[in-house]
Amino acid sequence: MFKSNSLEPSEGGPYPGPVTSSGSHVSLDAAPREAWERVRRRLRAEIGEEVYSSWFPRLELDMINGGSVRLSVPTRFLKTWLQQHYVERLTALWREEMGIERVELIVRSAVLRPPGAAAAVRAMTPASSATTTSANVARQSMDSGRSGFAGAPAVGSGSPLDPRLSFSTYRLGASNRLAHAAALKVAEAPAGSGPVFNPLYLHAAVGLGKTHLLQAIAAAGPEHGRSVVYLTAERFMYGFVAALKSQSSLAFKEQLRGIDTLVIDDLQFLQGKSVQQEFCHTLNALMDSGRQVVIAADRPPAELDALEERVRSRLAGGLVVEISPLDDELKHDILAARVAALGQQHPGFTVPTDVLSYIARHCGQNGRDLDGALNRLLAHNQLTSRAITLEMAETAVRDLVRPSEPKRVRVEDILRIVAKHYNVTRADILSQRRTANVVKPRQIAMYLAKMLTLRSLPEIGRRFGGRDHTTVLHAVRKIEGLVGNDRAIADEVEALKRLVNDD
């Protein structure tokens, strides 16, 4: 406990600091500040650098008054979060250092603190000044809430929404009925209610309606009194990096963590350790405070190898729903809806039922393929004035026709089969180990991923422990060379291909 006579209070009043030329107390002696530094060092050692750097750098010592200490933070969100999670530990540390029994947190006002005064510890002002101070702090807090945190990246407004992507335009089938029902339940939850499924995680291949559902949730939020922000992973990364550069990361945090529902699209593109850490903190803060989180990606959480295990575990703890490939009936329904929309833009444009059935059966497995086929028909119809018939459609979309849909091969299946064949683990293949018994299976798995899936080199690299695309390219070229020159390797690779395709 600190017992210096020079800092004893007078009749229970605050510890006085040095007097300025105007007669006001602006700071304390060095002892309380040294005690504060010891508290910070001990707290950093207890909770770790990562947590400390996320929440505590802008926590400042404001005043010591008898048996209590007042600490200040720049935002209301940070004050609430620290009160809920760390005020008891801060009190215990201050008690051990100076016998302090109470820690109070306030939101400081930049208007009241001149430049260079951040490290100063202010003495308590007379009652009249305190009243003015409280009013100014409250007024500034209200203003900052309206202005959207000046200086912070404008992520609060989210990524742009396509007005066409609503629940009313979403076509239902066996492959997407569960995902639609879960999304609608989340969207229609009234303001103030707890989360429905947290997080709701949708995954599917491209063009199967993930973004449609996510944007429909975002668009429906205001109708039910909920504040919803829709962000692509790219927009989230841009906002966070811009916040770091402008030194407004706390404002960035408060924008996202003060909403009712956060919707993140294309999570598989989230890159960078610091960005992933911030996403993890945001995810935890929102879910711990009872806010809804909705996420979409092109694969289930367990296959997001670029993300840390704790993030994947948290994502998998919610409702995970896969949207399967479209069946012919649903594709026909989607085509009919798209033709109706095109007919409004191009009066007289219609497509016979037999043509729609032909496209549904033969032209791809997702909505983008169907759009491409319809655009072909529209172009032929508008530019040549030819009526749309089955014969004309077969000619127009012949290069889009797939005689038979190949089996969808997943990188996860390749990793599992190759690891079993070479008696190594999946973790070995994804690790940084460079022993011969691991490098060969890893390179063969990369080669098979390039040959048997539609994923790009950068995507394959991310699935193999976050490796660069040049590493994948080197592996592919090396195995190609071995297959051409070594009969034994060629037979091994061919056998593995059959195992993957027959799995």
Side-chain angles (χ1 to χ4, degrees), residues 16-148:
V19 180
T20 66
S21 58
S22 61
S24 62
H25 297 285
V26 297
S27 66
L28 295 175
D29 289 348
R33 289 198 296 275
E34 292 173 357
W36 172 227
E37 288 304 315
R38 290 194 297 272
V39 167
R40 294 175 68 164
R41 285 196 298 270
R42 291 177 60 183
L43 185 64
R44 187 194 300 262
E46 288 181 13
I47 65 178
E49 181 63 33
E50 179 183 328
V51 176
Y52 184 89
S53 61
S54 294
W55 299 104
F56 291 94
R58 300 182 69 182
L59 177 65
E60 297 176 2
L61 177 59
D62 193 77
M63 185 195 72
I64 295 179
N65 182 21
S68 67
V69 62
R70 189 163 74 187
L71 306 176
S72 67
V73 293
T75 67
R76 287 169 290 171
F77 169 79
L78 187 57
K79 173 190 172 185
T80 301
W81 196 91
L82 291 177
Q83 282 178 327
Q84 293 175 348
H85 294 86
Y86 284 101
V87 72
E88 292 183 1
R89 186 58 197 143
L90 285 168
T91 302
L93 291 173
W94 273 104
R95 183 184 299 116
E96 294 172 11
E97 291 293 339
M98 291 191 67
I100 297 295
E101 295 296 331
R102 180 172 177 269
V103 171
E104 176 189 5
L105 293 172
I106 65 167
V107 179
R108 61 176 172 266
S109 169
V111 174
L112 301 173
R113 306 189 71 163
V121 184
R122 297 182 289 108
M124 186 175 288
T125 57
S128 60
S129 298
T131 302
T132 303
T133 297
S134 299
N136 287 339
V137 169
R139 187 181 305 112
Q140 190 191 32
S141 297
M142 293 172 62
D143 292 342
S144 67
R146 287 192 295 265
S147 65

Side-chain angles (χ1 to χ4, degrees), residues 375-395:
N375 286 333
R376 294 281 188 90
L377 297 183
L378 177 64
H380 278 70
N381 174 254
Q382 298 291 308
L383 298 177
T384 67
S385 300
R386 291 177 58 193
I388 297 177
T389 64
L390 182 57
E391 182 182 2
M392 178 265 225
E394 289 175 343
T395 302

Side-chain angles (χ1 to χ4, degrees), residues 209-467:
K210 303 184 301 296
T211 296
H212 193 143
L213 285 177
L214 262 59
Q215 293 209 15
I217 291 173
E223 300 174 11
H224 300 278
R226 299 176 68 89
S227 59
V228 183
V229 170
Y230 167 83
L231 290 171
T232 62
E234 180 184 26
R235 177 63 178 159
F236 181 90
M237 289 188 291
Y238 166 78
F240 179 64
V241 172
L244 291 179
K245 290 181 178 178
S246 63
Q247 297 183 341
S248 56
S249 57
L250 281 175
F252 174 85
K253 296 174 191 287
E254 187 161 349
Q255 288 182 67
L256 291 183
R257 299 175 193 184
I259 60 179
D260 296 317
T261 304
L262 176 63
V263 181
I264 300 287
D265 201 359
D266 289 327
L267 186 66
Q268 70 273 8
F269 295 129
L270 195 69
Q271 297 293 312
K273 184 176 180 181
S274 61
V275 174
Q276 290 183 13
Q277 288 175 348
E278 177 56 31
F279 172 75
C280 183
H281 293 321
T282 299
L283 182 69
N284 289 333
L286 286 171
M287 294 177 62
D288 291 344
S289 61
R291 312 296 175 87
Q292 180 71 55
V293 178
V294 183
I295 293 169
D298 67 352
R299 67 203 71 160
E303 295 182 17
L304 291 171
D305 297 319
L307 295 183
E308 295 181 2
E309 176 60 32
R310 58 175 178 163
V311 181
R312 284 180 278 161
S313 176
R314 192 76 194 250
L315 295 175
L319 176 61
V320 178
V321 181
E322 180 180 13
I323 302 176
S324 304
L326 313 176
D327 57 37
D328 289 350
E329 182 180 355
L330 180 53
K331 287 190 283 185
H332 192 286
D333 192 17
I334 291 172
L335 285 168
R338 303 279 171 86
V339 169
L342 287 172
Q344 294 180 350
Q345 302 173 26
H346 306 277
F349 176 72
T350 60
V351 180
T353 301
D354 60 339
V355 175
L356 293 182
S357 298
Y358 175 80
I359 294 174
R361 288 195 308 270
H362 299 291
C363 292
Q365 284 291 327
N366 62 63
R368 295 175 187 173
D369 293 338
L370 302 179
D371 282 341
L374 283 182
N375 286 333
R376 294 281 188 90
L377 297 183
L378 177 64
H380 278 70
N381 174 254
Q382 298 291 308
L383 298 177
T384 67
S385 300
R386 291 177 58 193
I388 297 177
T389 64
L390 182 57
E391 182 182 2
M392 178 265 225
E394 289 175 343
T395 302
V397 301
R398 62 181 180 274
D399 60 320
L400 298 178
V401 172
R402 300 179 181 179
S404 61
E405 289 296 329
K407 175 183 179 291
R408 181 188 174 193
V409 176
R410 303 186 308 164
V411 174
E412 190 67 23
D413 297 330
I414 295 172
L415 286 169
R416 173 173 51 81
I417 290 170
V418 171
K420 182 179 180 180
H421 181 81
Y422 288 102
N423 197 29
V424 296
T425 67
R426 176 181 177 277
D428 288 334
I429 294 177
L430 300 182
S431 72
Q432 299 300 318
R433 291 175 56 193
R434 297 185 179 182
T435 54
N437 68 316
V438 172
V439 170
K440 178 183 175 181
R442 180 186 298 141
Q443 292 180 336
I444 289 178
M446 289 181 177
Y447 171 80
L448 292 175
K450 183 66 177 72
M451 295 298 106
L452 301 180
T453 75
L454 298 178
R455 300 200 179 278
S456 65
L457 293 177
E459 287 179 311
I460 294 172
R462 287 193 291 269
R463 303 296 296 278
F464 279 78
R467 286 176 163 80

